Amino acid sequence: MNYYTIGAKIALLSLTLILACTSPPASVPMDMAEVSLIPHPVSLRATGSSFNLSKEASIKAEGEAAEIAELLAAYLRPATGFPLAISAGAAASGDIALAIDPALGTTQAEGYELTITEEIVSLKSRDKAGLFMGLQTLRQLLPASIEMTGPQSGPWRIATGEIKDYPEYAYRGAMLDVARHFFSVDEVKRFIDQIATYKLNTLHLHLSDDQGWRIEIKSWPKLTEVGSKTEVGGTEGGFYTQEEYTELVNYAMARQITVIPEVDMPGHTNAALVAYPELNCNPKDPNPEPHFGIEVGFSTLCTDKEIVYRFADDVIGELAAITPGPYIHVGGDETHATAPEDYIPFVERIQDIVHKHNKIMVGWDEIVTAKLAESSIPQFWASEENAQAAVAQNTKVIMSPAKRVYLDMQYDSTSKYGLHWAAYIEVDDSYNWEPTTYTDNIGRENILGIEAPLWSETVSNITEAEYMVFPRLPGIAEIAWSPASVRDWETYKVRLGKQKGRFEAMGINYYPSERVPWQ
């Protein structure tokens, strides 16, 4: 044996040792059941090993599944630094495969099957929305550092097993009040990304109130020329052009989220009245002044003037034309300045206008004092009697009880943002309730879904908003997605505590509740 042969063998052995030390093994023991998943899946079976995502991996998808594959790649590329090419064809070992199979019999709408072996990650659904929901689970199965925006060291292992999952409620929403304080397009997009992470599928935008009007209406230009200029505290407001609104709608739709625009009426209308005093009929206040406070219930449209209905028709018509989702929210709450004999025919006439524009009317629970079409949807926030009256009218109800899911309520008396007129709502308070038993005579069959509103009287930007939203929103999302049989505060708080690294990797400004064992 010559020196060259000996040297070659030594070099080969050295290289083998280096690779053994620097390259993670393809699989190591892992328990999928120990991973923090929120919302909790309907069914999970762990198989005890792991899949290693490597730089050679590709994503296999075609048709509409390829659109979801692009989003998956966008989630994974920044932290991994991997190219993750997307192509059609059969998956090879090490790949991720996405497929839409309308014949998939084990899931319902928005449901998915996620199967992870040592060789392949397979995600299947009956529809595109289900694939997207499955992506959110896949993200949470990866280390929290996957959420970072720059390259991280890895390794990128995923526990093996099988998840079969689908939502409890078809409607799972959050509301962002952009009227009391205005939020930019980029801030709303960030909010969309955050709620999508926890499988919410609806964004309710509160676009008008006493303090400001936030959406361009071309036939009534002063709404934004005048009515958008202010916000709570007297600082400068803002508004969305119809093109910017469409941008937000499309951004949300790509993430399987439906936008519901709300223009509140007949109350909460001072900004509109400042822009168009002819909509007002208060002889004591013929020319309303801009409102910078947080008082409510003092403004009203003049419900016996025909110009008010031309106004409503134009506003709803323009919104309907740029809103692909089925709903228009008309507010209808806290109308203390509108007499009941004026309020009821107003709501019924507005309902007809919404229907004329081929949309479904949503309103706060006060609208049940009017005669509603069965397709109209009251949103329960305050009055259990109204919620029960909605059921008596054969309408579905959105559950948003202020004492449990109003995200603008303070956590406790030391909270730096928020109010507490409904309650102090700690993290366990927002989780420990069941929609089907919250009030009498409202069962599962009466509930369309759950929505968590964030009113913005005391929050002026997305960072402050995040502090109120997190960590309560993930638990509310679990109530909306997961069956009651898998929900339990004692186990949930542990899963929530394990989200700490994910919140921090995503740059979320969250409230570190002492009731959660943060890890």
Side-chain angles (χ1 to χ4, degrees):
M1 183 179 294
N2 59 39
Y3 289 110
Y4 293 104
T5 303
I6 295 171
K9 288 186 175 182
I10 292 172
L12 179 60
L13 178 61
S14 299
L15 179 61
T16 301
L17 289 171
I18 291 170
L19 290 174
C21 292
T22 58
S23 299
S27 61
V28 298
M30 292 180 70
D31 186 354
M32 182 184 280
E34 294 299 316
V35 180
S36 168
L37 295 178
I38 301 175
H40 195 290
V42 173
S43 168
L44 183 152
R45 183 177 66 87
T47 54
S49 190
S50 61
F51 170 90
N52 184 55
L53 181 66
S54 71
K55 65 180 179 182
E56 289 79 24
S58 63
I59 303 175
K60 298 298 182 181
E62 53 188 289
E64 287 190 324
E67 298 175 27
I68 304 301
E70 292 287 353
L71 288 171
L72 174 60
Y75 287 138
L76 303 184
R77 284 170 181 154
T80 65
F82 299 161
L84 297 172
I86 299 169
S87 61
S93 181
D95 287 347
I96 301 174
L98 274 57
I100 294 175
D101 180 1
L104 200 64
T106 55
T107 65
Q108 58 192 49
E110 294 185 280
Y112 63 91
E113 290 185 2
L114 178 59
T115 304
I116 300 166
T117 68
E118 293 181 357
E119 291 78 30
I120 288 174
V121 174
S122 171
L123 176 60
K124 297 179 181 179
S125 176
R126 287 168 45 183
D127 51 40
K128 189 165 64 169
L131 278 188
F132 184 80
M133 302 305 161
L135 286 199
Q136 309 316 313
T137 300
L138 184 56
R139 286 171 68 185
Q140 291 189 33
L141 286 168
L142 282 156
S145 54
I146 197 67
E147 306 294 347
M148 301 291 284
T149 57
Q152 306 297 305
S153 59
W156 305 107
R157 293 195 182 96
I158 308 171
T160 58
E162 183 179 66
I163 292 173
K164 294 181 180 179
D165 202 11
Y166 50 84
E168 179 71 13
Y169 292 101
Y171 184 112
R172 307 178 305 282
M175 190 209 78
L176 182 62
D177 172 11
V178 298
R180 269 56 176 272
H181 281 100
F182 181 67
F183 289 74
S184 70
V185 169
D186 286 342
E187 287 179 313
V188 177
K189 285 182 177 179
R190 179 171 170 83
F191 190 72
I192 289 169
D193 286 332
Q194 290 169 348
I195 68 174
T197 302
Y198 294 98
K199 299 185 175 70
L200 297 187
N201 66 359
T202 306
L203 173 63
H204 170 183
L205 285 176
H206 185 74
L207 291 167
S208 70
D209 214 296
D210 292 314
Q211 297 85 356
W213 186 282
R214 307 300 179 206
I215 181 67
E216 176 189 25
I217 301 298
K218 295 182 185 295
S219 56
W220 296 76
K222 289 182 182 179
L223 289 172
T224 48
E225 290 173 2
V226 176
S228 74
K229 301 302 182 183
T230 53
E231 61 181 17
V232 167
T235 46
E236 184 178 357
F239 70 96
Y240 310 115
T241 66
Q242 292 195 5
E243 291 74 20
E244 288 171 329
Y245 175 81
T246 298
E247 180 183 345
L248 287 173
V249 166
N250 291 338
Y251 189 86
M253 195 163 20
R255 289 150 184 82
Q256 306 308 307
I257 290 173
T258 298
V259 171
I260 299 180
E262 179 189 353
V263 284
D264 210 341
M265 58 180 80
H268 290 279
T269 46
N270 193 74
L273 299 177
V274 171
Y276 289 98
E278 58 267 38
L279 301 173
N280 180 40
C281 61
N282 185 350
K284 296 180 181 178
D285 189 16
N287 293 292
E289 295 294 322
H291 181 60
F292 308 126
I294 63 173
E295 301 81 10
V296 299
F298 62 90
S299 63
T300 182
L301 297 173
C302 192
T303 60
D304 61 359
K305 283 186 176 181
E306 278 305 306
I307 190 174
V308 164
Y309 299 98
R310 292 200 302 272
F311 165 78
D313 195 1
D314 289 341
V315 168
I316 292 168
E318 289 194 34
L319 271 178
I322 57 176
T323 301
Y327 305 111
I328 297 289
H329 202 301
V330 299
D333 63 319
E334 297 175 323
T335 55
H336 310 315
T338 314
E341 61 269 24
D342 297 326
Y343 177 82
I344 291 170
F346 175 84
V347 170
E348 292 172 356
R349 192 161 172 184
I350 294 302
Q351 179 176 242
D352 291 341
I353 291 171
V354 173
H355 290 171
K356 184 183 79 170
H357 293 287
N358 299 311
K359 298 295 182 182
I360 296 168
M361 185 182 79
V362 185
W364 300 105
D365 62 46
E366 289 92 327
I367 66 169
V368 302
T369 56
K371 182 175 176 53
L372 300 181
E374 290 188 8
S375 62
S376 292
I377 302 168
Q379 184 167 358
F380 163 51
W381 70 282
S383 170
E384 294 187 20
E385 291 78 11
N386 283 343
Q388 293 158 6
V391 171
Q393 292 205 49
N394 293 318
T395 66
K396 295 282 189 179
V397 178
I398 297 169
M399 296 292 286
S400 297
K403 294 178 181 179
R404 295 290 186 171
V405 302
Y406 264 35
L407 298 173
D408 56 304
M409 292 297 103
Q410 293 173 303
Y411 294 97
D412 58 31
S413 61
T414 68
S415 295
K416 51 186 173 180
Y417 309 115
L419 303 169
H420 58 268
W421 56 262
Y424 291 114
I425 305 177
E426 249 290 1
V427 181
D428 54 340
D429 299 319
S430 63
Y431 184 83
N432 280 327
W433 67 286
E434 166 54 39
T436 62
T437 59
Y438 188 83
T439 187
D440 293 338
N441 302 319
I442 297 182
R444 174 66 185 83
E445 70 279 7
N446 309 122
I447 300 172
L448 180 65
I450 318 298
E451 181 181 292
L454 176 69
W455 302 99
S456 67
E457 288 97 333
T458 67
V459 296
S460 61
N461 57 59
I462 194 63
T463 301
E464 295 171 358
E466 287 169 1
Y467 188 83
M468 303 305 290
V469 171
F470 290 94
R472 290 183 288 200
L473 185 71
I476 298 166
E478 180 157 297
I479 294 169
W481 179 278
S482 304
S485 60
V486 302
R487 300 198 314 264
D488 169 73
W489 168 251
E490 293 304 317
T491 56
Y492 171 74
K493 70 181 181 182
V494 175
R495 286 184 285 122
L496 180 59
K498 292 179 180 179
Q499 294 279 311
K500 178 177 186 288
R502 203 164 297 274
F503 290 165
E504 292 172 355
M506 296 172 72
I508 291 174
N509 178 35
Y510 68 98
Y511 165 67
S513 171
E514 293 182 358
R515 301 188 186 184
V516 178
W518 300 106
Q519 298 181 34

